[in-house]
Amino acid sequence: MKDFKDKVAFITGGGSGAGFGQAKVFSEAGCKVVIADIRKDHLDEALAYFKDKNADVHGIQLDITDRKAYAEAADEVEKVYGSPPQLLLNTAGVNAFGPCEASTFEDYDWVMGVDLGGVINGMVTFVPRMIQAGKGGHIASVASWGGFSLSSGCTPYSVAKAAVIGLMECYYEALKPYGIGVSCLCPGGIRSNIGESSYTRPEHLSNTGYNTNEKTIEFMRHHYSFGMDPVDLAKILKKGIENEQLIIMPFDDPEQMMRSTLERWVNYCTPEGTRKQDELRAKRREEMRARMNSDEDNMMTGAAEAGWGKANPSITWVKNDGFGS
Ligand code: NAI
């Protein structure tokens, strides 16, 4: 997809961070933008930004895990703009940090429900509508570099993101005959409000095995303030969409990063490789611990003090600090 003029773009999580950056960039490129977000305050702020910008932007408050509400949102788009979107950006996501073995069912159900389930809901809701509209288009989902570089300190997140990468590869092949391109954006750190994820965690899924409190949230606000600018990221996404690229990585040397990911799996195939990989992991864990306790690393300062990545204090049997034993 190269021409964005007058195309309808539907952006989940468009009220903040990466999604808000996309709303700015694709609106600038000529799209009519629908911002769908669970947080009313994020929606209001985003819509207020566009008020005097001569941009065609429509807001819908939506929880992407709610399939009925998602279908109603799709109906609303057709009513407002006369067609389903030609550009679907599955961007909304949440995260949570803590030792893998402390994870509760609710940690999995919440994080995977939003980060994987929400993307699936976007695909199942919109793909048939986009195909039937016959206008082609493009779908991009935001996974994460964490979907390749898996971490036992945020297992439900890593697993959901890895699954989104796989999901997009399947759709990439499947949607070619319909003129619908598919991409998966895999960023590292983004300057965003994702540290506040737990604010939208549903009450019935509130039982967590992770240490989550105002101190850990404050730490994450600090941590993510060092991330990439969302508008710069959205520009890279746009370029990747124009190039019809399946995997879009905003790094200087993505190929080398992918080679090191593949090397990890190659290592795990043999006993010698497994030992080598275990040593590498242990070394990285020590580096991470040192960074967490260091005063010199702005990004990680306060991590240990905030208790970030640790188990819920009610759990007494966990040895790990979120970075493996
Ligand atoms: P953000 O929190 O600033 O933006 C996410 C938006 O999604 C928020 O406005 C939030 O209200 C909304 N949202 C959350 N749950 C929702 C739901 N159930 N239904 C609808 N909207 C919902 O965070 P950020 O960082 O911009 O996140 C965007 C995407 O980028 C996510 O998929 C995240 O996993 C991914 N990502 C973020 C990274 C980072 O360092 N912040 C790194 C790599 C990927």
Side-chain angles (χ1 to χ4, degrees):
M1 186 173 188
K2 288 190 167 57
D3 181 12
F4 296 94
K5 184 102 188 68
D6 292 327
K7 299 291 190 306
V8 179
F10 187 93
I11 307 175
T12 71
S16 170
F20 189 28
Q22 293 161 3
K24 289 175 183 168
V25 166
F26 288 98
S27 151
E28 184 81 12
C31 288
K32 300 165 185 173
V33 173
V34 182
I35 295 180
D37 205 293
I38 195 172
R39 273 180 66 164
K40 175 88 169 49
D41 57 338
H42 283 179
L43 258 187
D44 289 346
E45 278 170 38
L47 293 177
Y49 169 88
F50 285 108
K51 201 158 176 270
D52 305 320
K53 297 270 184 310
N54 194 26
D56 192 343
V57 178
H58 180 77
I60 300 179
Q61 192 172 7
L62 170 69
D63 176 353
I64 55 168
T65 67
D66 181 340
R67 291 175 178 164
K68 187 166 166 285
Y70 215 135
E72 286 164 6
D75 290 342
E76 187 172 327
V77 175
E78 291 186 26
K79 207 167 138 214
V80 174
Y81 290 116
S83 92
Q86 290 86 46
L87 180 63
L88 167 62
L89 303 179
N90 294 307
T91 302
V94 293
N95 68 8
F97 293 88
C100 178
E101 66 275 32
S103 309
T104 60
F105 286 125
E106 291 82 359
D107 288 321
Y108 281 107
D109 287 350
W110 173 52
V111 176
M112 295 191 70
V114 177
D115 291 0
L116 174 60
V119 175
I120 291 172
N121 291 346
M123 301 307 281
V124 175
T125 303
F126 278 124
V127 164
R129 291 177 190 243
M130 288 172 73
I131 290 174
Q132 289 175 83
K135 292 182 181 172
H138 202 99
I139 301 175
S141 295
V142 180
S144 169
W145 169 242
F148 291 114
S149 161
L150 310 173
S151 164
S152 65
C154 55
T155 305
Y157 184 81
S158 292
V159 171
K161 296 299 185 180
V164 167
I165 295 166
L167 186 74
M168 289 304 106
E169 188 176 355
C170 295
Y171 274 100
Y172 174 78
E173 281 307 317
L175 299 188
K176 271 185 186 162
Y178 307 100
I180 300 173
V182 173
S183 299
C184 189
L185 179 67
C186 300
I190 306 166
R191 188 157 70 236
S192 79
N193 294 305
I194 200 163
E196 294 182 1
S197 289
S198 56
Y199 290 172
T200 56
R201 186 169 178 149
E203 185 57 36
H204 73 283
L205 298 178
S206 61
N207 176 38
T208 179
Y210 311 148
N211 189 35
T212 310
N213 51 49
E214 277 307 317
K215 260 184 149 178
T216 59
I217 293 168
E218 197 46 55
F219 165 73
M220 285 199 281
R221 280 198 192 101
H222 163 79
H223 178 75
Y224 288 107
S225 70
F226 293 91
M228 182 174 188
D229 178 71
V231 167
D232 290 344
L233 181 63
K235 286 179 184 162
I236 292 172
L237 172 66
K238 180 167 167 283
K239 189 121 213 95
I241 290 174
E242 286 163 357
N243 292 338
E244 304 283 339
Q245 223 172 295
L246 171 58
I247 303 292
I248 303 171
M249 305 213 322
F251 304 110
D252 290 341
D253 194 352
E255 285 182 42
Q256 183 47 42
M257 290 175 78
M258 291 302 276
R259 279 198 192 93
S260 68
T261 296
L262 286 174
E263 198 184 330
R264 186 178 90 234
W265 290 112
V266 171
N267 278 343
Y268 278 142
C269 283
T270 60
E272 313 79 60
T274 299
R275 274 192 294 278
K276 188 173 144 197
Q277 193 60 39
D278 286 348
E279 280 166 22
L280 266 174
R281 267 191 189 262
K283 194 167 156 246
R284 286 208 195 105
R285 239 172 357 242
E286 281 321 306
E287 284 167 6
M288 187 62 132
R289 282 204 181 95
R291 285 182 66 195
M292 280 182 74
N293 294 311
S294 144
D295 287 341
E296 286 154 28
D297 186 333
N298 285 331
M299 241 164 77
M300 296 306 284
T301 302
E305 201 187 307
W308 178 71
K310 291 193 185 305
N312 187 323
S314 66
I315 299 176
T316 53
W317 44 264
V318 168
K319 286 189 195 153
N320 292 336
D321 56 10
F323 298 99
S325 53

